[in-house]
Amino acid sequence: MESDGDIGAFEPTIPGAVWRYRVLVAAAILAGALAGAAYALTQPSAWSATASLVVEDPRASAVFELGAAQSPERYVENQVEIIRSPVVAARAAELLSAAGEGTDASEDEVDDAVTVASRSDRDLVEISYRSDVSPDLAVAGADAVALAYQDVRRREASSNFAAALGRLDESIAASEADLAVIQERIAAQRGADESRDRLDAQFAAAVTELVEIQEALAAGPGDELLLARLAAVQDQFRTIQIILDIEVREPELVALVEEQREAIARLSNLIARRDQLAVDAEIAGSGVVLYSPASKAVSTGVALSRAVPVGAVLGALAGAAGAYALALSRRRFEGRAEPEVVLGAPLVAEIPDFGEERLRRALPVVDAPASVSAEAFRFAATALDVARPGAEGRRSALRTVVIASADPEDGKSVVAANIGLAAAREGKRVLLIDADFGNQGLVRVLSPSLAATPGLSDLVLDDVPTGEAVNSVTFADGTSVSLLTRGNSVTTASEFFHSPLVGRFVQALQADYDLVLIDSPPLLHVAYTASLVAMGDGVLVVVRHGSRVSALEDVRDRLRLFGAPIAGYVYNASPLRREMVRGVGSTRDVLGGSGAKAKSGAARRT
């Protein structure tokens, strides 16, 4: 089975990662809480107050509808822009300066401190003022801006109405002058006539009274008496006009009388419009229907009671994310079947932790043959006999096997030694080659006294006879294996194993043995391991319980790069499970005797 390293089946969970790295998460929560407290304590104190205005377009409520009103939404938007204008800011600064000591602010400061929000569906405008000085300044600032806006709007409306009234006054004066000229022309046309003179005198008196009424209305809104006098004068004009119409006979006089009538109507209309405009000017004002001053300021600073929990929550999220990322990068094997997903190779044997069986020596195959560990190594040795597929689907034994692992602590030397001893107890001729020149861990496990004897380097470089280079290690129970140490010739491991001579010598040695086990250096730490894996029929990978998943992924990728076939893997130092112990009785029966541990003697060289 091939695998691309899809290990989703045993990826870490967020709760598991948080619990595994709980100290890190707790530190992140504490750091977040402290950061929140520091942020709250370092933020300057600030206050904000809000005044509200309900505005309405004055033209919408004008008595005489002198102009078209805007839509409410558009009007409110325009008022918001006016409140934000420099004119209002300057006026608000004047009002604040006039309010007294402690409330001074420049135009730019007012502009920076003001925030305006609108509600067009309610014609509501809210003016907020932020102060870093005091809550009183926040309240005074909001009220000053609201009052400044109303002052500006009133001045603007007053100016507009004054200009319109001025233009109407000019038109009225021009109409009066035109009427006087027409009146003189009519009088000249009629000649001397006592009745006409009286009628003309009445007409002149009516004109004079009309002018007086116009002046009275110009001084202020007209009361009911003035309006009644205006109506009476207008009636008098109509009566005089009727009489004049009766007396008129000459065509030229008829034309002048018609012109007089039009002039009188035009003058009367101008006076009426001026009176209407004066009334609208008084009603219009600032356009503010309701003004609610700012009542109190509220603090806008960051509260310590809020900043600390928020910081703690953010710290918890960051800690959980960090814990998950860390757990993802440091995934560990927790079960014997998990490495198969990464390697795409079968489990050869599961070796329990020696400590859980109270094994004090590293060679349970000869020191404690009735142990679960010894039986696991015997199972591995047997599995190598059928590990390589042959022709027509048959399987054959691996003659030369390279024992590899990711890291030095995975226990590959102990695994190699015990598998070799288990195969030797089955009657096989076994050669163990310690190719880890730096550690010589296999020699230390089997027979430390052989470390200085001739070995592989002497065999290849100095033509030392095979009988002198290969050491026989025999134990008290009669189990014997051959051991080829590093040797004593001066060389560097990388150069030595790159030489094709080494491969030829190892191949030649295979003829004399049923099984050759090569203990290689850690695959991820030593480069010349690539040369070693090419010498074997297959690679047996040692995976330690709890080791990093990423390390085994790197081992798989390198073996694929080298083109080395993976025969399987040994799951080492696994927790002792109950089902492992159940087979101990059968193991004793096979071994014979009472099942007591066989006494071991010191290994000896022959």
Side-chain angles (χ1 to χ4, degrees), residues 357-370:
E357 285 197 278
R358 295 185 175 84
L359 301 178
R360 298 184 178 181
R361 296 176 62 87
L363 300 174
V365 172
V366 293
D367 291 339

Side-chain angles (χ1 to χ4, degrees), residues 4 19 39 62 97 123 299 394 443 456 468 482 495 556 566:
D4 291 328
W19 177 250
Y39 178 77
S97 298
D123 297 335
S299 175
R394 298 179 181 177
V443 173
L456 182 60
E468 296 182 14
S482 297
E495 294 179 1
R556 175 203 62 199
I566 303 175

Side-chain angles (χ1 to χ4, degrees), residues 200-222:
D200 290 340
Q202 293 176 6
F203 185 82
V207 171
T208 301
E209 188 174 3
L210 182 64
V211 172
E212 291 176 354
I213 294 173
Q214 185 268 334
E215 290 176 352
L217 291 175

Side-chain angles (χ1 to χ4, degrees), residues 208-533:
T208 301
E209 188 174 3
L210 182 64
V211 172
E212 291 176 354
I213 294 173
Q214 185 268 334
E215 290 176 352
L217 291 175
D223 54 18
E224 293 182 0
L225 180 60
L226 284 175
L227 295 176
R229 287 179 60 193
L230 177 62
V233 170
Q234 290 174 340
D235 289 340
Q236 187 177 2
F237 270 121
R238 285 191 290 271
T239 301
I240 295 172
Q241 188 63 51
I242 293 172
I243 297 173
L244 291 174
D245 288 344
I246 295 173
E247 294 180 353
V248 170
R249 296 291 183 270
E250 300 176 4
E252 185 177 354
L253 187 59
V254 171
L256 288 173
V257 170
E258 181 64 26
E259 188 176 351
Q260 181 188 46
R261 184 186 300 112
E262 292 176 357
I264 293 172
R266 185 166 57 254
L267 178 61
S268 178
N269 183 54
L270 288 173
I271 293 174
R273 288 180 62 191
R274 190 189 190 287
D275 185 52
Q276 295 167 2
L277 189 62
V279 173
D280 282 341
E282 189 67 23
I283 294 175
S286 63
V288 175
V289 178
L290 178 65
Y291 164 48
S292 298
S295 57
K296 63 178 181 178
V298 295
S299 175
T300 60
V302 181
L304 189 65
S305 59
R306 180 180 179 184
V308 171
V310 170
V313 171
L314 294 177
L317 294 175
Y324 182 77
L326 194 60
L328 198 62
S329 65
R330 297 184 179 182
R331 293 166 294 181
R332 305 280 178 172
F333 288 114
E334 302 295 335
R336 65 188 187 280
E338 293 173 352
E340 183 175 356
V341 181
V342 177
L343 292 174
L347 172 67
V348 172
E350 179 185 8
I351 311 300
D353 187 348
F354 289 176
E356 295 191 18
E357 285 197 278
R358 295 185 175 84
L359 301 178
R360 298 184 178 181
R361 296 176 62 87
L363 300 174
V365 172
V366 293
D367 291 339
S371 65
V372 175
S373 298
E375 182 64 15
F377 285 119
R378 286 191 289 269
F379 186 88
T382 302
L384 293 180
D385 277 341
V386 293
R388 184 172 61 180
E392 299 180 356
R394 298 179 181 177
R395 306 186 70 86
S396 61
L398 293 173
R399 295 290 300 278
T400 303
V401 179
V402 178
I403 310 297
S405 69
D407 299 310
E409 299 82 11
D410 291 336
K412 59 177 178 54
S413 296
V414 173
V415 170
N418 280 280
I419 291 178
L421 290 172
R425 287 173 63 89
E426 294 175 358
K428 292 184 173 60
R429 295 169 299 167
V430 179
L431 172 63
L432 295 166
I433 302 176
D434 195 337
D436 188 354
F437 278 15
N439 291 326
Q440 287 290 280
L442 186 59
V443 173
R444 291 200 306 271
V445 171
L446 289 174
S447 181
S449 62
L450 299 177
T453 60
L456 182 60
S457 61
D458 305 296
L459 181 67
V460 175
L461 300 177
D462 296 335
D463 294 329
V464 172
T466 303
E468 296 182 14
V470 176
N471 301 282
S472 178
V473 181
T474 305
F475 291 84
D477 63 351
T479 303
S480 177
V481 294
S482 297
L483 175 63
L484 189 58
T485 66
R486 176 183 58 190
N488 299 314
S489 294
V490 177
T491 184
T492 60
S494 58
E495 294 179 1
F496 178 77
F497 285 106
H498 276 90
S499 172
L501 290 175
V502 179
R504 288 199 290 268
F505 270 91
V506 172
Q507 188 174 7
L509 290 171
Q510 292 179 2
D512 298 326
Y513 297 94
D514 300 314
L515 179 63
V516 177
L517 298 177
I518 302 175
D519 184 20
S520 67
L523 191 61
L524 302 184
H525 297 267
V526 180
Y528 68 83
T529 308
S531 301
L532 289 173
V533 297

